[in-house]
Amino acid sequence: MANVKAALKLIKDEEKGVDIAAIKHGLELYHKQVVKLLELGFSVKVLDLGILVIKHRGKVKDIGEAENISDFTVDFIPSEEVKKAVSNLSVDAVLTVDNSPVLEEISDLSRKKSDGMVTAGQPVAVKGKNLKVDLGEDEIIFVPQDKDGRDVADKEKWLSVPDSQLFRNKPTELNFFAPQSLVDGETYRIVVKSSFIGNGRKRQSSLTGRSAIFTATAV
């Protein structure tokens, strides 16, 4: 992602003696005027790069409802010069997007702390990405860890969170009650297995995300 700073550096390298500070100031003024014109309802031609076009997100069914139309967005229509600039690009590698659950933060809601401790039987908040689970299909599991920070091999000791203990189920946050049987002083990870995609869709097999290690504590 190249920003204005990168463009200014190229100008400085290619056009010796140009007042970069003056160009930067001019761009800032131009930026403000483009935003102002959009606020006034104008589509804006941005230099010769393309046009910022204001459009309504939905469909207008009745032209008599003009005064009630709201919820606008902006599309960018590139110029032929811009489209030509990228027409001959080649690909070095193909990357896939991994939509596995990402567990970024664990909070003990009973103590209102995110300090690497989780209280047995008390509410827990997990924040991150792609966390929402499909009830009845997916899993939230407390996996005990050995002294080397690896999952305990005996899965009989793994503790699943029942659907009835889950009270917030969002893509960016899960809230549920930790198992009452967490052993005080023992270390665990939370594993989320999610097949949820959205709009009633789900994957054929679930994707897995793992939290950092934390320590269980008694009430």
Side-chain angles (χ1 to χ4, degrees):
M1 177 69 72
N3 55 18
V4 173
K5 186 177 180 180
L8 290 174
K9 185 179 184 304
L10 288 174
I11 293 172
K12 184 178 180 180
D13 292 342
E14 295 176 5
E15 303 291 338
K16 304 299 182 183
V18 170
D19 188 343
I20 296 298
I23 294 176
K24 183 178 179 181
H25 181 61
L27 288 173
E28 290 170 351
L29 294 175
Y30 181 70
H31 168 94
K32 291 179 181 178
Q33 294 307 314
V34 168
V35 173
K36 186 175 181 179
L37 288 166
L38 289 169
E39 289 174 342
L40 292 172
F42 288 93
S43 293
V44 181
K45 184 177 182 182
V46 183
L47 304 177
D48 288 323
L49 300 174
I51 304 174
L52 294 171
V53 179
I54 299 173
K55 62 178 291 186
H56 180 238
R57 291 182 188 273
K59 294 182 179 180
V60 179
K61 297 181 180 180
D62 185 352
I63 60 174
E65 298 179 353
E67 67 277 6
N68 298 319
I69 297 173
S70 60
D71 192 18
F72 292 94
T73 187
V74 176
D75 276 355
F76 181 74
I77 302 176
S79 67
E80 291 301 318
E81 180 184 13
V82 168
K83 289 190 283 188
K84 184 178 179 181
V86 300
S87 62
N88 294 321
L89 291 176
S90 60
V91 178
D92 293 325
V94 176
L95 304 178
T96 58
V97 177
D98 186 355
N99 290 316
S100 297
V102 178
L103 287 68
E104 297 175 344
E105 179 183 289
I106 298 176
S107 301
D108 187 322
L109 295 179
S110 64
R111 297 183 301 113
K112 298 180 180 180
K113 291 185 177 181
S114 304
D115 57 358
M117 305 285 287
V118 167
T119 306
Q122 297 301 306
V124 175
V126 177
K127 294 183 179 180
K129 301 173 184 176
N130 308 317
L131 296 175
K132 188 168 184 176
V133 294
D134 184 11
L135 297 179
E137 297 289 336
D138 298 332
E139 293 183 276
I140 302 171
I141 310 169
F142 281 70
V143 180
Q145 304 294 292
D146 63 21
K147 61 181 181 180
D148 296 319
R150 294 177 296 193
D151 295 351
V152 168
D154 184 2
K155 292 190 176 182
E156 293 294 324
K157 296 182 179 180
W158 294 18
L159 305 170
S160 294
V161 176
D163 291 346
S164 61
Q165 300 298 295
L166 176 66
F167 57 93
R168 186 174 181 83
N169 186 15
K170 302 290 185 182
T172 58
E173 184 173 355
L174 298 174
N175 290 178
F176 48 83
F177 287 92
Q180 188 69 53
S181 55
L182 293 181
V183 179
D184 186 31
E186 293 293 314
T187 56
Y188 296 82
R189 291 184 194 269
I190 293 175
V191 173
V192 174
K193 296 183 177 181
S194 173
S195 61
F196 181 83
I197 297 176
N199 298 322
R201 297 179 300 134
K202 63 180 184 179
R203 299 179 181 84
Q204 291 184 347
S205 58
S206 61
L207 300 178
T208 301
R210 299 162 58 84
S211 76
I213 293 175
F214 57 87
T215 303
T217 182
V219 177

